[in-house]
Amino acid sequence: MAPNNTSSGYNTPDSSLEGVLPVHPTAARRPHAITVQSENTSYTDEYITAQYQNRGAEVTVSNGQYNIVPTVQNVEFRTKRAPAKTGLMMIGMGGNNGTTLCATILANRHNIVWHTKNGVQQPNYIGSMLRASTVRIGTEPGTGREVHVPVSDVLPMVHPNDLVLGGWDISGMPMDKAMFRAKVLDYDLARQVAPHMELLGSPLPSVYYPDFIAANQEARADNVIAGDDKQAHLEHIRADICKFKQENELDRVVVFWTANTERYSDIIPGVNDTADNLLNAIKTSHSEVSPSTLFAVAAILEGEPFVNGAPQNTFVPGVIDLAERHKGFIGGDDLKSGQTKLKSVFAEFLVNAGIKPLSIASYNHLGNNDGHNLSAERQFKSKEISKSSVVDDMVNANRLLYKAPEVGPKGEPIGKGEHPDHIVVIKYVPAVGDSKRAIDEYYSEIFCGGRSTINIFNECEDSLLATPLILDLTILTELLTRVQYRKDKANEYSPLYSVLSLLSYMLKAPLVKPGTEVVNSLNRQRNALETFLKACIGLEGNSDLLLETRVW
Ligand code: NAD
């Protein structure tokens, strides 16, 4: 339909409905209102400093006897109070997630409201754990009533409206047109936000190595950095980050992969197993260096954090090594938006209820460009891997229901032990567009040989679920770059460890410190984050002991 230039608002950045409704609470700005009055917490203009006691327990098992020694470790956290002026540079900016993120930030920034068949709709940040969920911070004296605050108020965080937006795409379509191509937003919102999107221009040209994404994406690739010299590509991307930072006077740029899912890279000794080998492989343009790995290396070398929102193994060992060497920050993999998020709650619920899932069968169909790319075998494989490990830790934690792995001669486990059958199928059905359908069957053993079958049908508006996750990951990453710690007052403060596993809540296959265990349980992931944020202001974890309600 041709736009009506005189009355539709299509050609003017000012929406006719702008500001008709007050700002939604999830988008509202509040002064940082929390002060902890305790000898453990101190405030200066620049920092919040908090003493924290990290309590745990060391367990040894011998002859079936568990011997437990409680442990306590003193840690001091110091958080820089002023959020950095932050840019978000997305790789894949012109895709469904990238355009939806830009358009919804712009809609929030300008408070553009729009008509739907249900009435007038206002922009908000529903779906953002930071902006739209709360944390129990304590109880009111006298009444004992619980007090909850927005998670984003626990420590000073960047407001999503303030993120400076930019990035790359192998498709050069201008952002307003790319938003219409994505077919995610209601037309009345899209037409009003289009002039703002137009001001973002076209994404920067990107690195395109056709071997890594599906062949069906080739037609989009009209905006690529020339040549096949990977070292030159690396320098090009580093210069892009540097220029974006300077031009927008930014203190921090979060570089975020929300481009197509790539195939897995082979891990080859001498090529991508160490930082030096990887840097050398880039110099010699080795074929196993993927575009996403190149972007991760560029971000680390520029001193900026990198987050991987897709499932491929961007973080080959050489990238982790490089991040450690530069004390850089990385996080991933794969946004946990729909089916896997539910599974990380549902499987845990069953196992923790003492019920034994025998099989979990998951089907998806979707019709957006992500689905088109995933219809190719090697790219599907990356997604299948990231979706399939989600129940591992829950099963490993319960050896009453699932047999432990056999043990080899040196006591080493052989295989994974008993496990529910778990399959994941993804099909491309263009008609359903961005509205992914996920069907899951949980088939479980219950009391005395009984069986229980639970079927879940979940319709996900894919990009509308994914966008708030990208925002949370970006805002949290920026925050985590401002937190330092020391275990002894005599020591200097250190930054957090390079792999930001505190981002796990938003990620399907969380990357963790090599050699440590992955936590997939959504509840535990959220608990870790709440506990960490509270620790940074000197509050103990969110104990549900609620002793005052249990004693006289
Ligand atoms: P999309 O296909 O709409 O967008 C991807 C964009 O990346 C496209 O515009 C494409 O041109 C661009 N691109 C491909 N290779 C590139 C490169 N080398 N450099 C720069 N740009 C490149 O996909 P989407 O729906 O926005 O999803 C993006 C990614 O997020 C996918 O990998 C998807 O699997 C992952 N993801 C999405 C969701 C969700 O719910 N939407 C959930 C989890 C993970």
Side-chain angles (χ1 to χ4, degrees):
M1 189 172 71
N4 174 344
N5 289 344
T6 52
S7 63
S8 69
Y10 188 83
N11 268 350
T12 157
D14 298 317
S15 152
S16 49
L17 290 173
E18 209 165 292
V20 165
L21 294 174
V23 171
H24 192 271
T26 58
R29 289 180 192 274
R30 289 173 294 268
H32 181 65
I34 291 181
T35 313
V36 179
Q37 291 174 346
S38 149
E39 58 187 14
N40 292 333
T41 311
S42 61
Y43 295 85
T44 63
D45 286 348
E46 207 177 350
Y47 296 110
I48 302 172
T49 308
Q51 313 300 326
Y52 183 73
Q53 293 199 312
N54 187 29
R55 294 179 191 280
E58 270 176 7
V59 185
T60 49
V61 191
S62 88
N63 296 330
Q65 175 71 40
Y66 295 83
N67 293 306
I68 304 174
V69 181
T71 57
V72 55
Q73 186 182 48
N74 294 316
V75 190
E76 181 175 291
F77 289 108
R78 187 177 79 166
T79 308
K80 204 166 181 211
R81 296 181 78 166
K85 186 173 180 206
T86 303
L88 169 58
M89 289 191 90
M90 287 167 282
I91 308 124
M93 186 189 185
N96 284 25
N97 288 350
T99 55
T100 305
L101 182 134
C102 293
T104 48
I105 285 188
L106 291 168
N108 271 292
R109 198 182 284 169
H110 299 281
N111 199 18
I112 296 172
V113 300
W114 65 100
H115 288 288
T116 72
K117 64 184 176 188
N118 296 318
V120 174
Q121 174 67 44
Q122 74 180 134
N124 57 50
Y125 286 112
I126 289 180
S128 155
M129 189 260 229
L130 298 180
R131 301 288 322 172
S133 84
T134 62
V135 50
R136 190 166 63 86
I137 204 87
T139 49
E140 224 174 47
T143 63
R145 250 200 312 267
E146 296 190 336
V147 178
H148 297 89
V149 296
V151 179
S152 56
D153 287 1
V154 179
L155 282 170
M157 297 186 201
V158 173
H159 191 291
N161 287 9
D162 295 339
L163 290 170
V164 178
L165 303 167
W168 305 261
D169 205 295
I170 55 170
S171 159
M173 190 179 275
M175 288 299 285
D176 53 330
K177 306 224 162 29
M179 168 184 66
F180 285 109
R181 173 179 62 185
K183 298 184 190 158
V184 173
L185 300 174
D186 281 339
Y187 176 71
D188 194 38
L189 168 59
R191 80 172 173 85
Q192 294 186 78
V193 87
H196 299 280
M197 290 289 279
E198 200 181 340
L199 298 177
L200 291 176
S202 294
L204 296 166
S206 191
V207 174
Y208 176 53
Y209 305 149
D211 180 39
F212 281 90
I213 57 173
N216 61 33
Q217 297 297 310
E218 199 187 343
R220 265 174 108 99
D222 59 5
N223 189 41
V224 304
I225 304 172
D228 47 19
D229 179 345
K230 295 194 177 183
Q231 180 66 32
H233 290 169
L234 176 68
E235 280 154 23
H236 187 120
I237 297 161
R238 288 186 65 178
D240 283 346
I241 298 171
C242 202
K243 186 159 174 251
F244 185 72
K245 204 171 161 183
Q246 275 169 4
E247 281 179 357
N248 294 290
E249 296 173 350
L250 302 172
D251 314 309
R252 172 65 66 224
V253 176
V254 177
V255 182
F256 202 113
W257 182 273
T258 180
N260 287 129
T261 298
E262 295 174 330
R263 68 163 173 85
Y264 255 53
S265 300
D266 293 338
I267 309 296
I268 307 173
V271 173
N272 47 19
D273 53 342
T274 68
D276 287 331
N277 289 342
L278 178 61
L279 293 174
N280 196 44
I282 293 171
K283 276 203 186 92
T284 57
S285 298
H286 194 284
S287 60
E288 267 320 289
V289 178
S290 66
S292 65
T293 292
L294 209 62
F295 274 97
V297 170
I300 293 166
L301 295 180
E302 283 306 307
E304 301 300 344
F306 180 92
V307 181
N308 178 28
Q312 72 278 339
N313 62 341
T314 300
F315 300 123
V316 294
V319 173
I320 299 177
D321 191 17
L322 190 71
E324 286 177 348
R325 185 187 288 178
H326 288 264
K327 296 254 187 311
F329 294 107
I330 53 175
D333 296 313
D334 207 5
L335 305 171
K336 182 161 58 184
S337 53
Q339 185 175 58
T340 308
K341 186 171 251 165
L342 190 59
K343 200 176 285 177
S344 68
V345 176
F346 208 79
E348 192 193 33
F349 143 65
L350 290 170
V351 176
N352 280 355
I355 290 171
K356 182 180 179 181
L358 297 171
S359 65
I360 303 173
S362 297
Y363 301 85
N364 301 261
H365 62 268
L366 73 169
N368 56 16
N369 189 52
D370 181 29
H372 198 200
N373 182 62
L374 293 174
S375 64
E377 184 56 30
R378 292 191 303 170
Q379 285 66 29
F380 164 70
K381 208 75 207 154
S382 298
K383 196 57 117 180
E384 188 185 31
I385 294 171
S386 86
K387 275 177 168 271
S388 49
S389 54
V390 61
V391 296
D392 286 1
D393 50 337
M394 298 148 206
V395 168
N396 290 342
N398 190 328
R399 292 298 174 204
L400 299 170
L401 293 176
Y402 297 96
K403 282 198 204 86
E406 306 267 316
V407 179
K410 291 184 191 142
E412 75 285 6
I414 302 170
K416 276 169 79 169
E418 192 184 357
H419 213 264
D421 294 338
H422 185 190
I423 59 145
V424 178
V425 179
I426 302 177
K427 292 290 171 198
Y428 177 51
V429 179
V432 301
D434 207 58
S435 176
K436 182 168 79 185
R437 286 94 207 289
I439 303 157
D440 293 82
E441 182 189 271
Y442 295 81
Y443 178 59
S444 304
E445 180 177 343
I446 57 170
F447 192 48
C448 289
R451 293 289 184 269
S452 148
T453 305
I454 299 172
N455 282 295
I456 295 172
F457 184 90
N458 178 5
E459 192 180 325
C460 320
E461 297 248 28
D462 236 9
S463 304
L464 295 177
L465 287 176
T467 294
L469 302 185
I470 298 177
L471 290 174
D472 282 349
L473 287 162
T474 303
I475 293 165
L476 263 181
T477 297
E478 187 285 322
L479 169 66
L480 296 175
T481 65
R482 279 186 285 127
V483 179
Q484 295 186 312
Y485 75 96
R486 60 181 175 185
K487 291 183 188 159
D488 190 323
K489 281 205 180 286
N491 293 347
E492 293 287 299
Y493 288 100
S494 300
L496 296 175
Y497 175 67
S498 293
V499 177
L500 297 175
S501 54
L502 279 166
L503 305 178
S504 298
Y505 183 87
M506 295 99 198
L507 295 161
K508 230 181 286 222
L511 186 73
V512 298
K513 191 190 233 173
T516 61
E517 288 180 22
V518 179
V519 173
N520 286 296
S521 152
L522 197 74
N523 291 323
R524 288 187 63 200
Q525 291 168 341
R526 177 163 168 130
N527 208 3
L529 201 51
E530 278 190 15
T531 307
F532 179 81
L533 295 177
K534 285 183 177 178
C536 290
I537 55 170
L539 294 182
E540 290 284 324
N542 63 338
S543 164
D544 278 322
L545 179 60
L546 299 177
L547 190 61
E548 60 281 13
T549 68
R550 329 255 188 225
V551 294
W552 294 108

